[in-house]
Amino acid sequence: MKRLLLTLLLLTICISPVSAFVLTEFCPDGYASGDGDEYFVLEGTGSLAGWTVSDGEGTISFPAGTVSGGRIVVARSAAAYNQIHGTLPDYEILESGATPNVLQSGRFQLANTGDDLSILLQGQTVQTVSWPNELAASNGLVHVYTNGVWDERVYKIGQSRFSPETFIADSVTLFVSPDSSYSAVTGVIRDSSETLLISMYEFTHPEIAREIASAVDRGVEVTLLLEGGPVGGISDEEKGVMNYLTENGVSVSTIESEGNLPARYLYLHAKYMVADDYVTVVLSENFKPSGIPLTGTKGNRGWGAVVRDAEIADYFTDVFTADISGYDIYPYIPGTEPLPETWADEKITPYFSELTLYNVNITPVISPDTSSLVPELIRSATNSIDIQQAYISPYPDGENTWLSAVLDAADRGAEIRVMLDGMYYNTEDDADNDELVATLNRYGNAVSAKLLSPSAYLTKLHNKGVIVDGEYVLISSINWNYNSPNNNREAGLIIQSTEAAEYYTAVFTFDWNGDYEKDPLSAGIGFDVRFLLAGGIAILLIGILIYRRR
């Protein structure tokens, strides 16, 4: 049976001397069996005398003396509502005794596939909502009504509603994988003294697990939230890490679907960590040996940042708290899989060290809540956009709206460079990265595209980064497909800083040129400084020899 959850954020309208109420959240059928958790919400303040809600066949009103302080939740079954949302409604339609009952006349029951719901004052209609005419009818969907318009974002039951905020961070330390990510991540863990909150899609890194266990031994309270159903399932290596951490005092939970109850997000794909209510680490890479390789060893190309700022830490703590408080969270039960052996790829020479900047404007990006900030950033571009992505794939309707925004920027005159991963699984099909690169290179002179193939320095391109106009940098876990910005939980940062843009542009250009046998300065100026130094030394030695002979 199709189910529908409609959320209408109620407007508070003051009409003296009578307060007005508007219908906001509205769920003809949620996730509980028997339509038990269907509900609606009225927002407004004052007495509810004379206010009624009707579906055309039945009407409900409120007990005498009912006064709203701003928000009234009415559920069909208080127990079913509590099962899904973790709280009790203010009123219920059935008589379970858990909460007060509304007064009912006729047969009031919201139809799943199509119906109308109206709120009336003294018999006069104030607001009517119809579905599926105005809204899409589907299982567990939440529609939001704000300032007289419907939000383009479609919610699911239990999803968060964070708003965009920009902060001036005390400092931010930039880093990249494989060069400097291990020291950056483990440095934050080692410096932690009170709390660590970690949200991660996959975690198979034994050395980072040992660092976390050492933090627990120092008295740090560590909470880890992992995706419970990653693509391919939880590996034995990850189970070994989860077992080890649980046995060493870490609170480990997973977010996952259970039976007919879907998880709030298609995937928990975010990769971030909050330490001591002050330090936040956001990155594109999972806690895996290839994502955060041991210093001086080969690994993925990824970007990350360590932000030191209490307000940004509070923001991500709120995200973490919202995520770990849902109905789809399950404590991990340890098994028998051992902690995996330490593994490292071949040795490399790191090129890019960490860079610390101060008093930097930073805007968190949270999918699906504020992922619209990314296309907004792209649409603001006037000069250049550099994109480094594992892959870019079409939406179900065929158009990737983020990529379309990039091409619109090219039409406005912006120079575009797009770099995609060249691993076999991203190039073996008939319509994936290599075909897209060819298509982009035919678009026009303003657009250039390349594949970044595995090398002696990089395992693969796993990054999800963007640089705009030499001033803005996006570091995130957000893939350029439909689900990542719309259905997954993702995390990222938009950093406004020319110094940050210069840092990541140097990394991007280094990868673009493929100068992995050169030092970073050489890559920037087009020739290998080491050859120049070697030549200089040779000339000096010859000069010394000639001088001695004379």
Side-chain angles (χ1 to χ4, degrees):
M1 178 183 292
K2 288 289 187 180
R3 300 172 178 174
L4 172 67
L5 175 63
L6 306 175
T7 302
L8 316 166
L9 277 186
L10 287 179
L11 308 173
T12 301
I13 307 173
C14 296
I15 305 176
S16 182
V18 180
S19 295
F21 290 86
V22 184
L23 184 67
T24 57
E25 299 185 20
F26 152 52
C27 174
D29 186 14
Y31 291 136
S33 60
D35 293 359
D37 61 333
E38 69 179 33
Y39 72 96
F40 64 85
V41 177
L42 299 179
E43 286 190 9
T45 57
S47 172
L48 277 159
W51 290 90
T52 58
V53 180
S54 174
D55 67 346
E57 298 178 2
T59 300
I60 64 171
S61 57
F62 296 87
T66 299
V67 176
S68 171
R71 177 181 170 91
I72 298 289
V73 180
V74 180
R76 183 165 186 80
S77 166
Y81 181 91
N82 182 60
Q83 177 188 0
I84 302 300
H85 298 270
T87 60
L88 289 170
D90 298 294
Y91 292 91
E92 67 175 343
I93 297 172
L94 300 179
E95 296 183 2
S96 70
T99 59
N101 285 99
V102 292
L103 308 177
Q104 184 176 179
S105 63
R107 186 178 183 274
F108 183 91
Q109 185 169 3
L110 305 177
N112 297 333
T113 56
D115 209 339
D116 300 294
L117 193 66
S118 299
I119 180 170
L120 304 93
L121 174 60
Q122 304 295 349
Q124 299 297 313
T125 301
V126 173
Q127 180 191 21
T128 297
V129 178
S130 300
W131 68 98
N133 297 330
E134 294 182 61
L135 306 167
S138 186
N139 185 23
L141 292 188
V142 180
H143 294 270
V144 177
Y145 190 68
T146 309
N147 297 329
V149 296
W150 292 104
D151 194 330
E152 292 183 2
R153 175 188 169 188
V154 178
Y155 295 80
K156 290 184 179 178
I157 295 175
Q159 289 185 341
S160 62
R161 299 177 189 169
F162 289 96
S163 300
E165 293 188 51
T166 299
F167 307 91
I168 301 177
D170 294 340
S171 72
V172 56
T173 299
L174 314 175
F175 63 88
V176 296
S177 282
D179 309 69
S180 48
S181 57
Y182 185 78
S183 60
V185 170
T186 56
V188 170
I189 296 171
R190 290 169 185 170
D191 290 343
S192 63
S193 59
E194 297 179 0
T195 59
L196 271 176
L197 308 177
I198 305 171
S199 181
M200 195 62 51
Y201 177 67
E202 290 182 300
F203 191 161
T204 62
H205 204 307
E207 293 306 316
I208 293 180
R210 290 190 177 96
E211 294 286 352
I212 292 172
S214 296
V216 175
D217 289 342
R218 297 194 306 272
V220 179
E221 181 180 348
V222 182
T223 306
L224 171 64
L225 179 60
L226 292 166
E227 167 58 45
V231 175
I234 298 178
S235 66
D236 287 344
E237 290 81 5
E238 184 166 27
K239 290 177 182 176
V241 167
M242 296 165 76
N243 294 337
Y244 173 82
L245 291 174
T246 303
E247 292 163 0
N248 280 274
V250 177
S251 174
V252 181
S253 298
T254 59
I255 178 170
E256 55 189 288
S257 301
E258 181 70 21
N260 294 325
L261 187 62
R264 288 164 292 164
Y265 305 98
L266 185 62
Y267 291 108
L268 175 77
H269 193 249
K271 310 154 202 326
Y272 67 90
M273 176 170 63
V274 182
D276 297 339
D277 300 324
Y278 182 65
V279 183
T280 305
V281 182
V282 177
L283 59 167
S284 62
E285 303 308 295
N286 292 297
F287 281 1
K288 303 175 71 172
S290 60
I292 313 293
L294 299 179
T295 302
T297 60
K298 177 181 174 181
N300 299 348
R301 171 60 84 214
W303 297 354
V306 179
V307 182
R308 291 174 175 84
D309 185 85
E311 289 185 316
I312 293 176
D314 285 346
Y315 188 96
F316 279 94
T317 297
D318 288 344
V319 175
F320 188 90
T321 301
D323 288 352
I324 206 166
S325 303
Y327 60 81
D328 47 6
I329 300 301
Y330 299 90
Y332 177 68
I333 300 175
T336 59
E337 293 82 359
L339 183 70
E341 296 291 331
T342 298
W343 178 87
D345 211 324
E346 58 193 271
K347 295 289 186 179
I348 64 165
T349 300
Y351 292 106
F352 296 97
S353 58
E354 302 170 23
L355 174 67
T356 298
L357 306 173
Y358 299 91
N359 300 319
V360 179
N361 285 351
I362 293 181
T363 304
V365 180
I366 305 297
S367 288
D369 306 46
T370 65
S371 51
S372 61
L373 290 170
V374 178
E376 289 176 9
L377 175 63
I378 293 169
R379 284 191 286 268
S380 73
T382 58
N383 299 318
S384 64
I385 304 175
D386 287 337
I387 300 168
Q388 197 174 56
Q389 283 289 321
Y391 62 89
I392 297 177
S393 59
Y395 286 8
D397 62 2
E399 178 187 6
N400 186 308
T401 57
W402 289 19
L403 182 58
S404 295
V406 171
L407 297 179
D408 288 343
D411 293 339
R412 297 193 304 270
E415 293 289 330
I416 310 298
R417 293 190 295 180
V418 178
M419 195 183 310
L420 303 178
D421 180 55
M423 284 288 283
Y424 67 92
Y425 48 75
N426 280 321
T427 59
E428 62 186 2
D429 292 336
D430 294 334
D432 49 14
N433 283 356
D434 51 342
E435 286 81 12
L436 179 56
V437 164
T439 298
L440 292 174
N441 282 324
R442 292 192 298 267
Y443 189 82
N445 293 334
V447 179
S448 301
K450 283 188 177 183
L451 292 176
L452 182 61
S453 299
S455 67
Y457 169 57
L458 294 179
T459 303
K460 64 181 178 182
L461 172 56
H462 189 255
N463 193 24
K464 300 94 172 52
V466 181
I467 309 165
V468 174
D469 288 345
E471 183 178 1
Y472 297 90
V473 175
L474 170 69
I475 299 171
S476 82
S477 62
I478 308 174
N479 288 309
W480 281 38
N481 57 24
Y482 179 79
N483 284 321
S484 194
N486 294 293
N487 294 323
N488 289 357
R489 168 61 91 214
E490 308 278 4
L493 304 170
I494 295 175
I495 302 173
Q496 182 182 7
S497 163
T498 55
E499 292 89 350
E502 288 172 357
Y503 177 86
Y504 286 109
T505 297
V507 179
F508 185 97
T509 303
F510 188 64
D511 294 340
W512 185 267
N513 294 333
D515 293 326
Y516 301 130
E517 299 304 318
K518 301 178 182 179
D519 66 282
L521 178 59
S522 303
I525 63 178
F527 60 88
D528 196 331
V529 171
R530 290 176 296 180
F531 292 140
L532 179 62
L533 293 176
I537 293 171
I539 293 172
L540 178 62
L541 291 175
I542 292 171
I544 293 173
L545 180 61
I546 293 173
Y547 175 79
R548 287 180 175 177
R549 286 182 176 179
R550 288 181 177 177

